Amino acid sequence: MNAKNPRRFPEDFVWGSATASYQIEGAAAEDGRGPSIWDTFSHTPGKTLNGDTGDVACDHYHRLPEDLEHIAALGLDAYRFSIAWPRVQPGGSGSFNQKGIDFYSRLVDGLLERGIKPVATLYHWDLPQELEDAGGWPSRDTAYRFEEYAEQMARQLGDRIHLWTTLNEPWCSAYLGYASGVHAPGRTEPAAALAAVHHLNLGHGLAGRAIRSVLPGAQVSITLNLHVARPVDPSSVADVDAVRKIDALANRAFLGPLLDGRYPADLWEDTAHVTDWSFVRDGDTATIQIPLDVLGVNYYSTNLVRRWDGTGDPGAADGHGNAAGSPWVGASDVEFVRPPGPYTAMGWNIDASGMTELLVRIHREYPDLPQMVTENGAAFEDVVADDGSIHDPKRISYLHDHIDAVGAAMDDGADVRGYFAWSLMDNFEWSYGYDRRFGIIRVDYDTGQRTWKDSAYWYRDVIARGGLPAT
Ligand code: PNW
């Protein structure tokens, strides 16, 4: 880390941290919770590292009071969590489960009592299994079920929610869930993945509209994991075109309908041999293009791509170490090249400049759209010292440089309203199970004990100071 000046953020900048229901809650079969696609997937042999499941996870469901104290002690302005759909509506349609709703009510009240803004995500990947059995996101009906669920949550949690996020990273839900199959439900059907893209977008629009019909003043957002793709050779027309294809699949497949009211023509052309997109009906993009109060942006790393020269396996590296099928539907001529390091324990390259580039790009293309970094963080191999302390200088350095990069984007005019560190605590890292630790708080999975890493103390001080120290 080079010597840097201190950096201050606006007084009203929101400092937060984030988690997701399936990754932390556990209590998978308690108080009426129904099964989700992640229960099914993680219990299928070979799908997760070491066969890990979210059955117990961080046991957050039972340790809520204790976790609220950690959130308060960090001094967070906001806490981003997700609601497990199968906990509040076990079958994904029909009756709701009061005990499940009560849990989120206690969470929200606990946050408000401590002066912390609740930021609620309605869908962070735990689809009720019954809805997958009926077709999942490739089926249009799932979008209507999502609308009903969203409306009910607006009624139950009401004006206590500071910001509603409909979906977390629909890119992952669609392409990792239905194309590469490394996420639940583990299907490898490229055409279905593109249908899922559309029905997730549609679900967002329907849900946002439903929330606002119950709560006219509600703040509504969506969180995207936008990709920063760079060409191996910027002077190569073929490599630049590879970037365009990835940008269409990863970014504009969502930004287009959400913000421009249409799908990009090149996306449809690139994927014409996979699907005719006839699942997009008249009026759908108008439904999707509801006003967004803020765009949530999750950023971790960059991607390096070029036109595949026909040798080797272009799908072997999708930029995130997912070795199964390719998530890049219709882009089989694009090769992902491992970017220069350093790398995190996920194998993802560390490059804070991508954060600035991304936020500035969105600002240039959508000047009136406020943004919020809803996830950023890193997994490293943490070592517990003899005295129980956890020195994680790499995580501190990662967070420092990326927060600094957010500030640089704001210097360039980007309207960024907040930053959420991923994650509040170590948790179930999807197909990597408990092996990869993203938390600023360590979780001992044998005892459930929470221990602040150095990065948690550091982040607490950043929040208290309203910015970064000189280094
Ligand atoms: C995001 N990829 O997941 C999620 O929102 C979190 O739940 C997760 O824990 C975090 O980032 C760290 O992984 C992603 O392969 C998972 O591109 C995979 C990818 C991207 C994001």
Side-chain angles (χ1 to χ4, degrees):
M1 190 160 41
N2 297 324
K4 294 219 176 71
N5 293 324
R7 189 187 275 283
R8 296 213 161 272
F9 286 75
E11 200 48 46
D12 56 358
F13 191 80
V14 174
W15 296 100
S17 187
T19 62
S21 49
Y22 191 72
Q23 294 182 272
I24 66 166
E25 285 179 4
E30 262 175 77
D31 290 344
R33 180 184 177 281
S36 80
I37 55 174
W38 267 98
D39 295 289
T40 308
F41 187 78
S42 67
H43 280 270
T44 305
K47 296 298 185 189
T48 64
L49 199 56
N50 304 318
D52 287 343
T53 75
D55 288 1
V56 178
C58 307
D59 201 26
H60 171 70
Y61 189 77
H62 297 116
R63 290 170 178 264
L64 177 60
E66 174 187 348
D67 289 338
L68 282 167
E69 293 311 325
H70 287 293
I71 291 166
L74 283 163
L76 300 181
D77 297 316
Y79 173 61
R80 175 176 181 257
F81 61 95
S82 79
I83 298 169
W85 187 352
R87 198 179 284 292
V88 299
Q89 192 183 29
S93 63
S95 59
F96 285 84
N97 175 33
Q98 194 57 47
K99 281 188 175 166
I101 294 169
D102 289 346
F103 171 72
Y104 297 105
S105 222
R106 288 199 302 280
L107 167 58
V108 168
D109 288 344
L111 292 170
L112 292 173
E113 280 161 21
R114 292 164 179 79
I116 298 152
K117 298 176 171 73
V119 174
T121 299
L122 288 167
Y123 186 73
H124 199 128
W125 308 352
D126 36 8
L127 187 72
Q129 181 61 43
E130 276 187 40
L131 294 187
E132 176 55 33
D133 295 343
W137 285 110
S139 160
R140 187 177 177 93
D141 200 48
T142 301
Y144 297 118
R145 300 287 80 74
F146 187 60
E147 176 184 24
E148 287 168 8
Y149 154 61
E151 180 181 339
Q152 186 66 6
M153 288 306 100
R155 288 189 197 291
Q156 297 291 336
L157 300 175
D159 61 8
R160 291 176 290 165
I161 300 297
H162 173 74
L163 174 66
W164 294 89
T165 302
T166 54
L167 305 172
N168 176 73
E169 301 191 349
W171 180 89
C172 291
S173 301
Y175 298 113
L176 301 184
Y178 294 96
S180 76
V182 299
H183 278 188
R187 287 163 59 180
T188 48
E189 303 162 37
L194 295 176
V197 166
H198 179 59
H199 297 133
L200 285 153
N201 282 330
L202 182 64
H204 157 79
L206 293 168
R209 190 175 68 187
I211 293 166
R212 288 198 176 112
S213 75
V214 177
L215 306 163
Q219 300 277 305
V220 174
S221 69
I222 184 170
T223 280
L224 303 177
N225 58 317
L226 297 171
H227 285 58
V228 176
R230 294 171 174 160
V232 171
D233 177 0
S235 68
S236 154
V237 173
D239 290 7
V240 170
D241 195 58
V243 168
R244 178 195 60 73
K245 281 190 179 172
I246 296 310
D247 184 52
L249 285 163
N251 302 329
R252 291 182 288 114
F254 303 98
L255 295 172
L258 288 167
L259 296 162
D260 305 327
R262 61 186 131 75
Y263 281 94
D266 60 328
L267 170 70
W268 284 20
E269 286 160 22
D270 291 345
T271 56
H273 60 292
V274 179
T275 180
D276 61 7
W277 289 84
S278 57
F279 41 76
V280 180
R281 297 190 191 163
D282 284 351
D284 280 2
T285 51
T287 304
I288 295 166
Q289 198 191 9
I290 56 165
L292 281 184
D293 292 296
V294 60
L295 176 69
V297 174
N298 291 354
Y299 175 83
Y300 290 93
S301 65
T302 60
N303 300 273
L304 198 54
V305 303
R306 68 179 167 207
R307 169 77 54 81
W308 183 42
D309 67 3
T311 63
D313 176 5
D318 66 359
H320 294 280
N322 293 308
S326 172
W328 300 105
V329 178
S332 54
D333 61 342
V334 175
E335 180 186 5
F336 282 78
V337 174
R338 190 163 208 230
Y343 307 98
T344 69
M346 298 298 286
W348 300 350
N349 66 305
I350 302 174
D351 184 350
S353 75
M355 172 79 91
T356 309
E357 183 180 321
L358 179 58
L359 295 169
V360 170
R361 170 200 169 168
I362 298 300
H363 172 67
R364 297 238 162 93
E365 292 180 13
Y366 305 101
D368 299 328
L369 180 67
Q371 303 180 70
M372 190 127 106
V373 176
T374 39
E375 281 180 31
N376 173 246
F380 289 109
E381 277 145 32
D382 298 321
V383 178
V384 182
D386 289 340
D387 65 356
S389 59
I390 299 133
H391 306 304
D392 58 343
K394 288 184 185 170
R395 185 172 289 102
I396 292 175
S397 167
Y398 181 99
L399 295 172
H400 177 284
D401 290 357
H402 285 76
I403 291 170
D404 197 43
V406 173
M410 294 167 75
D411 289 346
D412 275 1
D415 179 6
V416 187
R417 303 288 175 89
Y419 173 92
F420 290 70
W422 183 270
S423 176
L424 175 70
M425 60 182 121
D426 294 337
N427 58 50
F428 177 76
E429 179 50 35
W430 306 112
S431 43
Y432 296 92
Y434 299 100
D435 193 71
R436 307 291 155 89
R437 295 175 176 270
F438 274 88
I440 57 174
I441 297 176
R442 183 180 177 88
V443 175
D444 179 322
Y445 293 112
D446 295 325
T447 63
Q449 195 191 325
R450 279 85 163 121
T451 307
W452 284 30
K453 304 178 191 178
D454 285 356
S455 54
Y457 294 99
W458 177 86
Y459 192 47
R460 178 194 63 187
D461 292 348
V462 167
I463 296 169
R465 198 187 295 113
L468 297 170
T471 58

